[in-house]
């Protein structure tokens, strides 16, 4: 069991954030602004790509907020003063042989050369990321959420010698939380996944053709089953399509699937990945041909890979820049003995069965950990579909913060190249949503960052003087799940042991102290009130039980006297926060409406 002192050490931390880049400083400095006057010019090449021009505009805009000065954007050489050289084209006016070789699409260079500063990177996104990294790490900008940021005020701005060259280890980084879809937040925090609203000027993104569970979209049962039942699963000697899959040894079916996929890719020229993946249930084909291959491979994943490899080979001539993505999920999670993915095949391994109160290194998650190790040995483009919320109860306390950093580091250490961090993606207001999204984005960019410091920095930056009490609250909740031994899956029930009256009451006391600390700041007070919603939610869901526990403990009742008043308090904050769902599937507050009815009985 993790000690209370250990949890305090994790959560009660300072503000410093040290990124794992090479950075050297001497007595020499580059002056960017002095007493609110610009002392440098921003330079971008006349033929710069659209993201590089946007990077220059972003740099000018934020520097104006920081210094109060107006910065001109010019074509090179723009000599005669310090230059902020944005993009590879501009960089060559200071370093003639400047090269982006090895930077890929996202790698960055931040480098001082004499009185100039190079901010450049690989195309299409590297220059954007260089600018944002400079603003973050060298000036102190933070973009906590789409609506909250910290932009320091520095009328005089000087920087020391810099020499940064960094390529993120993850090629695909998706922070799949509702607020994180915002394009400005996503690009500033260096997310590049399919669902973020990233247009061309924001560097674009990795775009899927069909995101997941695409067997039936590609071979539609209503179109094909009547004439070709043999294309679908044979279960107990009968061909079916209800909650079934495709017969992956049927070459005629594969030819039709390839034809359909090619047409979809022609209609979607921006796609970089195409999904050819199983439906979201079991029902894999049991015909003699399929069963024989699965037995030979020691896993249904072997047959899946043979099929997907064949599809990938058939599309690569026409679509050389498109990878085929499939799943290692449910019945295909175990890696095969024989077949390996082709170079243009991505395997996405899903962590849905894991306990998220424990890191993957814990024995509780041994089966999934072993699968990662197995896939990492045979797959050069291994992606992970990870789960970072409670889909059954978005609002409920979900104490998984202590595993986010260790798990991402574990993934990267085991050859993972892409991470999809699925959170509460259908509504605002999920428990600590902004905290998780920001911390995940930072770690996806650089898994070597100290996740403890990231958590502390966000809390202090986002909640201000309420931060210490928020940390106390999180300590109580995380300590409770550790003591309880609860599995903490991504579909945990509101009746979980760690959600006891004692734990919730102690947590509520800390959250009310947090509110008191910022009572004169309406913006910060509202953020704390949103943080209070998870405790209120559980009390409403278990009202009569909590009343009884309070009486048994001879304790003070922490909520309003009536469930109706508590419900109204909850909904007032929820509506202001634009909460539209309490779980993944249902609009509205149906869970709480039912709880109100139960409490009356």
């Amino acid at each position: 069991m993790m000690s209370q002192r250990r949890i305090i050490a994790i959560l009660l931390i300072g503000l410093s954030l040290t990124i794992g880049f090479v950075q050297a400083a001497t007595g020499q400095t580059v002056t960017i602004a002095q007493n609110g006057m610009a002392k440098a010019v921003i330079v971008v090449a006349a033929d710069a790509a659209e993201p590089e021009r946007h990077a220059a505009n972003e740099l000018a805009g934020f520097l104006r907020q920081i210094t109060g000065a107006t910065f001109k954007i010019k074509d090179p050489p723009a000599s005669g003063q310090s230059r902020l050289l944005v993009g590879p084209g501009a960089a060559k006016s200071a370093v003639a042989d400047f090269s982006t070789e090895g930077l890929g699409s996202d790698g960055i260079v931040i480098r001082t050369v004499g009185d100039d500063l190079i901010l450049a990177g690989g195309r299409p996104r590297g220059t954007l990321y260089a600018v944002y990294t400079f603003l973050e790490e060298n000036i102190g900008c933070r973009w906590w959420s789409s609506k909250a940021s910290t932009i320091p005020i520095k009328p005089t701005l000087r920087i020391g010698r810099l020499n940064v060259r960094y390529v993120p280890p993850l090629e695909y980084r998706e922070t799949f939380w509702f607020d994180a879809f915002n394009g400005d937040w996503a690009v500033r925090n260096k997310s590049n996944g399919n669902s973020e609203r990233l247009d061309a000027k924001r560097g674009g993104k990795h775009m899927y053709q069909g995101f997941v569970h695409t067997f039936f979209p590609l071979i539609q049962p209503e179109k094909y089953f009547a004439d070709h039942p043999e294309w679908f699963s044979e279960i107990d000697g009968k061909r079916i399509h209800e909650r079934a899959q495709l017969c992956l040894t049927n070459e005629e079916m594969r030819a039709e699937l390839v034809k359909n996929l090619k047409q979809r890719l022609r209609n979607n020229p921006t796609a970089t990945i195409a999904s050819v993946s199983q439906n979201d249930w079991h029902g894999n084909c049991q015909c003699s041909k399929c069963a024989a291959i699965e037995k030979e491979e020691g896993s249904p994943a072997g047959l899946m890979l043979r099929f997907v490899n064949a599809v990938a080979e058939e599309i690569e001539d026409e679509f050389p820049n498109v990878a085929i993505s499939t799943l290692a999920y449910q019945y295909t999670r175990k890696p095969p003995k024989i077949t390996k993915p082709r170079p243009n095949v991505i395997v996405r391994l899903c962590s849905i069965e894991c306990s998220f109160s424990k890191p993957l290194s814990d024995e509780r998650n041994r089966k999934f950990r072993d699968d990662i190790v197995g896939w990492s040995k045979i797959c050069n483009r291994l992606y992970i579909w990870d789960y970072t919320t409670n889909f059954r109860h978005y609002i409920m306390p979900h104490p998984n913060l202590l595993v986010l950093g260790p798990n991402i580091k574990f993934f990267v250490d085991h050859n993972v190249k892409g991470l999809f961090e699925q959170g509460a993606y259908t509504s605002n207001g999920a428990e600590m949503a902004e905290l998780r999204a920001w911390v995940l984005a930072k770690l996806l960019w650089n898994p070597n960052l100290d996740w403890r410091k990231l958590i502390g920095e966000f809390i202090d930056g986002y909640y201000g003087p309420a931060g210490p009490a928020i940390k106390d609250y999180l300590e109580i909740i995380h300590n409770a799940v550790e003591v309880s031994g609860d599995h903490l899956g991504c579909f945990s029930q509101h009746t979980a042991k760690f959600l006891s009256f004692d734990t919730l009451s102690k947590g509520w006391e800390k959250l009310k102290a947090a509110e008191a600390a910022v009572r004169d700041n309406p913006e910060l007070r509202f953020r704390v009130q949103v943080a209070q919603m998870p405790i209120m939610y559980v009390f409403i869901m278990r009202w009569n039980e909590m009343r009884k526990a309070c009486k048994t403990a001879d304790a003070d009742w922490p909520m309003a006297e009536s469930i109706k008043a508590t419900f109204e308090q909850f909904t007032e904050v929820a509506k202001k926060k634009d909460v539209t769902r309490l779980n993944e599937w249902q609009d509205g507050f149906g869970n709480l409406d039912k709880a109100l009815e139960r409490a009356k009985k």
Side-chain angles (χ1 to χ4, degrees), residues 207-209 258 260-275 315 318-319 322-324:
M207 178 76 76
Y208 272 79
Q209 169 53 52
V258 169
N260 293 341
L261 178 59
K262 284 183 175 180
Q263 188 56 54
R264 291 182 178 217
L265 287 171
R266 292 177 192 126
N267 295 336
N268 184 9
T270 60
T272 56
I273 304 172
S275 173
I315 67 109
E318 184 176 351
F319 304 99
V322 175
I324 298 297

Side-chain angles (χ1 to χ4, degrees), residues 344-406:
N344 63 333
V345 168
I346 293 168
V347 174
R348 278 202 288 183
L349 178 62
C350 305
S351 66
I352 195 167
E353 296 92 351
C354 288
S355 168
F356 299 104
S357 63
K358 295 288 188 180
L360 292 172
S361 58
D362 188 85
E363 188 63 18
R364 188 183 293 184
N365 291 317
R366 178 178 57 82
K367 288 184 178 180
F368 182 74
R369 183 184 69 222
D370 291 347
D371 287 340
I372 294 177
V373 172
W375 280 107
S376 71
K377 293 176 180 178
I378 66 171
C379 188
N380 289 325
R381 293 188 74 181
L382 178 60
Y383 283 18
I384 298 292
W385 186 309
D386 195 23
Y387 303 83
T388 58
T389 192
N390 182 344
F391 298 104
R392 183 172 277 120
H393 301 283
Y394 276 166
I395 307 292
M396 196 172 84
H398 189 63
N400 68 340
L401 293 175
L402 308 187
V403 309
L404 299 180

Side-chain angles (χ1 to χ4, degrees), residues 31-37 39 66-68 153-159:
T31 300
I32 295 175
Q34 186 168 333
N35 298 325
M37 299 294 292
K39 295 298 180 181
I66 294 161
T67 68
I153 303 300
K154 298 181 179 181
T156 295
L157 181 61
R158 297 186 179 94
I159 59 168

Side-chain angles (χ1 to χ4, degrees), residues 19-21 102-109 121-122 125-126 129-130 133 165-173 189-192 206 412 416-418 441-448:
I19 201 158
F21 298 152
L103 293 178
S105 60
D106 294 356
I108 67 172
V109 172
R125 291 174 290 273
Y129 294 162
T133 299
R165 187 179 181 92
Y166 178 76
V167 179
L170 292 168
E171 66 186 25
Y172 185 102
R173 305 176 299 277
N189 288 290
K190 309 178 193 75
S191 291
N192 66 1
H206 292 282
V412 172
V416 170
K417 297 297 194 302
K442 298 297 107 183
L443 291 170
L444 294 183
W445 174 250
N446 185 354
N448 291 315

Side-chain angles (χ1 to χ4, degrees), residues 10-32:
I10 289 172
L11 291 175
L12 299 184
I13 51 184
L15 283 171
S16 63
L17 175 62
T18 304
I19 201 158
F21 298 152
V22 178
Q23 178 171 314
T26 70
Q28 295 177 295
T29 61
V30 174
T31 300
I32 295 175

Side-chain angles (χ1 to χ4, degrees), residues 503-523:
T503 294
L504 296 176
S505 296
K506 289 177 179 176
W508 185 252
E509 180 182 350
K510 299 301 181 183
L511 290 172
K512 294 305 289 183
E515 185 178 5
V518 292
R519 58 180 174 269
D520 296 326
N521 186 318
E523 184 176 4

Side-chain angles (χ1 to χ4, degrees), residues 163-451:
N163 187 14
V164 173
R165 187 179 181 92
Y166 178 76
V167 179
L170 292 168
E171 66 186 25
Y172 185 102
R173 305 176 299 277
E174 183 155 11
T175 310
F176 198 69
W177 285 78
F178 190 81
D179 186 66
F181 298 150
N182 177 272
D184 284 331
W185 185 93
V187 69
R188 290 166 186 168
N189 288 290
K190 309 178 193 75
S191 291
N192 66 1
N194 180 78
S195 299
E196 281 94 2
R197 293 190 286 273
L198 292 164
D199 54 14
K201 77 175 184 179
R202 292 175 178 84
K205 58 187 176 180
H206 292 282
M207 178 76 76
Y208 272 79
Q209 169 53 52
F211 191 64
V212 74
H213 306 312
T214 56
F215 271 5
F216 280 5
L218 289 167
I219 298 293
Q220 300 170 20
E222 59 271 23
K223 179 178 179 180
Y224 294 110
F225 185 77
D227 294 331
H228 298 284
E230 71 278 7
W231 291 6
F232 298 83
S233 291
E234 179 182 309
I235 307 292
D236 297 329
K238 182 180 179 181
R239 296 286 178 175
I240 64 171
H241 64 82
E242 295 88 357
R243 298 191 70 79
Q245 307 288 345
L246 299 174
C247 180
L248 300 184
T249 55
N250 190 297
E251 294 186 6
E252 185 182 27
M253 180 276 294
R254 191 184 76 220
E256 185 71 8
L257 183 145
V258 169
K259 184 189 80 172
N260 293 341
L261 178 59
K262 284 183 175 180
Q263 188 56 54
R264 291 182 178 217
L265 287 171
R266 292 177 192 126
N267 295 336
N268 184 9
T270 60
T272 56
I273 304 172
S275 173
V276 178
S277 57
Q278 68 208 57
N279 299 320
D280 196 11
W281 46 72
H282 289 262
N284 50 308
C285 184
Q286 299 173 1
C287 77
S288 58
K289 287 185 177 181
C290 289
I293 293 174
E294 290 184 0
K295 182 178 180 181
E296 181 184 10
E297 292 276 7
S299 168
L303 173 59
M304 181 70 71
L305 271 187
R306 293 187 189 190
F307 178 80
V308 170
N309 280 348
V311 173
E313 184 176 7
E314 291 179 56
I315 67 109
E316 69 178 347
D317 284 346
E318 184 176 351
F319 304 99
N321 298 319
V322 175
I324 298 297
S325 171
T326 196
L327 293 175
Y329 173 63
Q330 293 180 341
Y331 66 91
T332 57
R333 212 183 81 181
K334 182 181 177 183
K337 295 178 180 177
I338 302 170
T339 304
K340 298 180 180 180
R342 296 182 88 250
N344 63 333
V345 168
I346 293 168
V347 174
R348 278 202 288 183
L349 178 62
C350 305
S351 66
I352 195 167
E353 296 92 351
C354 288
S355 168
F356 299 104
S357 63
K358 295 288 188 180
L360 292 172
S361 58
D362 188 85
E363 188 63 18
R364 188 183 293 184
N365 291 317
R366 178 178 57 82
K367 288 184 178 180
F368 182 74
R369 183 184 69 222
D370 291 347
D371 287 340
I372 294 177
V373 172
W375 280 107
S376 71
K377 293 176 180 178
I378 66 171
C379 188
N380 289 325
R381 293 188 74 181
L382 178 60
Y383 283 18
I384 298 292
W385 186 309
D386 195 23
Y387 303 83
T388 58
T389 192
N390 182 344
F391 298 104
R392 183 172 277 120
H393 301 283
Y394 276 166
I395 307 292
M396 196 172 84
H398 189 63
N400 68 340
L401 293 175
L402 308 187
V403 309
L404 299 180
N407 283 357
I408 290 175
K409 188 68 167 59
F410 182 89
F411 293 141
V412 172
D413 287 345
H414 287 82
N415 201 35
V416 170
K417 297 297 194 302
L419 264 170
F420 173 76
E421 297 287 1
Q422 186 176 14
Y425 64 97
T426 56
S427 176
N428 282 310
E431 191 248 2
M432 291 289 156
E434 290 84 0
L435 167 60
R436 285 192 182 84
W438 187 82
V439 169
L440 287 167
K442 298 297 107 183
L443 291 170
L444 294 183
W445 174 250
N446 185 354
N448 291 315
L449 291 177
D450 188 330
W451 55 272

